[in-house]
Amino acid sequence: MIKPLKALGALVVLAALIGGIPLALLTFYGNPIPQQLPGAEDVAHLFTTNDSIGFLLFVVVWIGWIAWATFTLSVVVEVIARMRHIPTPQLRGLSAQQGAAAVLVAAIAGLGAPAAMAETPAEIAPAVQTGEAPAMPAEQPSTETQSAQQDTSAATTEDLVITVQPGDTAWDLAAKHLGSGSQWSEIVKANDGKIQPDGGALRVGEDPFLEPGWKLTIPGVPAIDTAPQGAEQQYETVTVERGQSLSSIADEHLGDADRWPEIAEGSAHITQPGGHHLEDPDQIDIGWTLRVPTDAPAVPTHQADEQPSHQEEAPSSEEAAGAAEAAEQAVDAASDALPAAETPQADTATDAAPAGAETPAPASAPSAEAEETSTVPWTGVGSIFAASILGAVLARRLYTQRKRRADQRIPEAATVDLDQVRLTRIEDPTVLGFVDRALRTLSALQLRDGQTLPDVRLARLTDDHLELYASAPHELPAPFEATDDPATWLLPRTAALADDETIADIVAPYPALVTIGTDSDGYQILVDLEHLAALGIHAASQTSMPVMRALTVSLATSQWADDLAITTVGVCPELEDALGSGRITYRETVTELLDDLEAKLERDQEVLEELGHDSAQHARQAGDATDLWTPEIIIIGTDLSLTEKRRLQAIVDARPQIAVAVISSDQHTDLSEWRMHIESLEAARLEPLGLELHPQHLTDADYDAVLRALGAASTLEPTDEVSDEQLATEEAPAAPLHPVAIVQPSTSTILTAAQRDAEPELPAEHPYIRVLGPVEVLGATGPLEDKRLAELTETVTYIYLQPGKAENDFRADLWPGKRVADSTRHQRISRARKWLGAADDGTRYLPRANGADGSYTLDDHITSDWAYIQQIAELHQDATSEQLAEALKLVRGAPFAGGGRSRYRWSITLQYRMTDTVLDVAHELAQRALDAGDIETTLWATQRGLLVESLHEQLWRYRLQAAAYDPDLHQRITHDLEAQIAAVDDDYDLMPETEALMYTTPAAHRIAI
């Protein structure tokens, strides 16, 4: 009863101070504010009157009003801080008032009482959840093994060491562990000067601000033993919360409420706050620490027949292999017994999947491997973000590839470090193009009808629809579909969208649209930063930085933004150089960019007012001076000063609204109502919608991998065969105005026309796989349904190029983003085995699975065009010209061409290697032919190489040199190159030496004057 009485007394005192003081002043003195402003004579009279008592009373009354006002302000600030569960801002000169307010508010809140300790702040866990906003994952309790690893350098063996959680305050911890929040100073004293993981520390006499992740010693509270004497059972610790009992905790953590005695037995020795022990299982208090066994949950009786025991002995490798073979044989037998039309269609995308066979996985699912989240890369990356990262690295690598010479290589780190295969399992290769085309289609339709675009604040991408959530009701044309909410519209992912010609001149309508995470269904959530104007990231620094990095990289690599200007402070300083796109700039301080923003505000608002638009976004959508409205995204990862907050707030609130949006991780600043509360890297909530998310994020390791991949993709390193003299010659600057040297055609050739034009001889005795162009499997003689051709071709090619891949990889690569049943995989393999057939001696070209991992390999008789060209490439200069030509004849196009967007995503690193190898072979043959004056062979070899990379400059230079003797031929090749640039990339900049060969007249054709 003591603490409730204290809370009631504090409430009475607070009410008396806030309400009683002004009532008393007004009653006994009246309104101190005069009815009219005093004149000069009134002021002079005040200081010259002999009525000293009246003057003194006047001064005292005003002092009273000022004291009341400052105290009331302190109470308001304290209450707001408590409600938002953040440290109370310190107001200069008001420390006494704030101290009194803190004591009274804390007493009223009952922070020392057990009941209040178990309450979760409303900002972090709303008391009421709607059906649309799923509950956030519960915080995982730390195991005692982790507790044993905590830093105890400042603690004795008797003292408890705890880890600060988001929202913890010194008062909270004292209330929880010491029985009274007023003992917070004891915690400060016990940890005075102790350096924390982020470099901060508590210090006596300073504000006791805490950061999540800090390790604090709780003085006088015994540390929890790792286990009772002689026990071998492993435990985890949990803290009792409001409404919990031993039975409910057992049900939650052990899967069986009847196992509560195990918790009671394991926790009986723990000294709880106040010196209590668990003696009566019906008497546990909020804030107590309990030990819960960490063994696998017991299976309830009613599930015993449905679930196999997880503790059964694992089968041996021989048993596993036998089981896999038996399953395949069963599938073979079943499929032999059924007509083709009745064969199950479990793995056909267009057919209805049988229950449990194949279901879409959440968009952010990284793979099928059952790995620990902490060790699996890209766990915070969704399909859109993965596609953006891959697109950025691919674009950098492609640009570098086009520039490289025959004696240069792109480092393997461009593909190895990034683990691109795992990213391809996450990405949806169609999603970027779909979202971009959908939004431009919407813009084109609205312009056609003379209508404005909706102010989209949020978008959600599901397996079936793109959902748009506008800030106000809006009418949209077909194919957009209306819902019960006039501000919400759906676009089916199968809808017919505008063609390239229609959207060619359409400006990206929502360039600041960015993914922020996935909802409980695994669907991606996007927000339009330009509409939000500001987004706050509320989290501890070690949690907010991965989220800030993800937002920065996502915006910097966005492929549906025509143009963005991103400025960061305290976030991703390395990204500007790594990307080299000109889209992102890093500043050391916020002050550096505020002057530029304020100048932009004044300039852009003047233009907007002249044009009659209320925002830059509307002006851009209307097509008025579109070059002025590039969105500028400011991403700030540092705390803001009061002046910086005020200046930024003025820019964000200004109307007409300019094209500026701010993302800030300053927890004490809310530039708008939009903010993400991030409790962990697995749980966040978007306000003011209350939408719970799995926040998109880049861990330190993931971000480093992105930087290394971008850097490597932009790097050319010499091969081992290049001498220092050659390297110096290659790096010498080109002289673009020198006339082109002419190679005179020779009567002798290194290859005849017959040798060049003859068709390549392909093996016919056994199946043969072609991947240098459209993928084909030749020589497969078994039965095949036409609709199965694509999937079986990919399966056979995968097994050939990735022999021995484990079953988990097999599933993740061939069914990316989906979970498939064993029967689905077995059916696919069985069909492929029958299709390939067997050799003359009866040996199956696709044998049974190997070992316990269920991996597959093809028979050694099967070969491919890639295998042959690798053999020739390894010979390099030792290969004959005829061998080089035979290898190039096998090239029919880019590797895996025609595979579509959904197939062969696992081959991305192989595509790089194949392209490099083909170009090297083409280089070698073209250089030999050019040196020999064999013009036709030079043109033929370069044309074969350009099939895999149509804008490779070294091969074009060979062609221009070879054609220099013939002005008409030279002009045709120049025009071909110009047309290729226009078709591939209008903004592509040729190397100076290439331009020199294109536009400088060959010496022999210059006219003497």
Side-chain angles (χ1 to χ4, degrees), residues 15 286 405 415 470 548 618 632 642 717 753 772 783 892 907 988:
I286 300 168
R405 301 182 177 90
T415 57
M548 298 283 279
H618 291 164
E632 187 157 353
L642 291 176
E717 57 186 20
L772 301 176
R892 297 165 295 117
S907 69
Y988 183 80

Side-chain angles (χ1 to χ4, degrees), residues 917-992:
T917 302
V918 171
L919 291 174
D920 288 343
V921 173
H923 280 305
E924 179 65 27
L925 183 58
Q927 186 65 65
R928 289 185 189 182
L930 196 62
D931 291 342
D934 187 347
I935 303 302
E936 293 302 323
T937 298
T938 302
L939 296 177
W940 180 86
T942 54
Q943 185 271 333
R944 304 302 296 184
L946 291 171
L947 290 174
V948 298
E949 174 43 62
S950 62
L951 207 51
H952 189 67
E953 291 194 44
Q954 179 68 73
L955 295 182
W956 281 105
R957 288 197 291 271
Y958 287 146
R959 293 176 70 81
L960 289 166
Q961 285 179 284
Y965 78 98
D966 183 342
D968 292 335
L969 177 60
H970 184 272
Q971 187 176 36
R972 285 199 303 273
I973 291 177
T974 298
H975 289 167
D976 289 344
L977 177 52
E978 291 172 336
Q980 190 61 43
I981 293 173
V984 174
D985 185 355
D986 284 332
D987 297 325
Y988 183 80
D989 291 325
L990 289 168
M991 298 176 71

Side-chain angles (χ1 to χ4, degrees), residues 102-170:
V103 171
L104 291 172
V105 172
I108 294 169
L111 292 179
M117 283 192 293
E119 293 177 358
T120 305
E123 283 284 344
I124 298 178
V128 179
Q129 297 287 348
T130 67
E132 298 297 328
M136 294 167 62
E139 183 179 348
Q140 296 297 320
S142 59
T143 64
E144 294 201 26
T145 302
Q146 293 170 324
S147 298
Q149 296 173 348
Q150 294 175 337
D151 181 8
T152 58
S153 60
T156 66
T157 56
E158 290 79 16
D159 288 336
L160 175 67
V161 177
I162 59 94
T163 301
V164 177
Q165 302 300 319
D168 281 349
T169 66

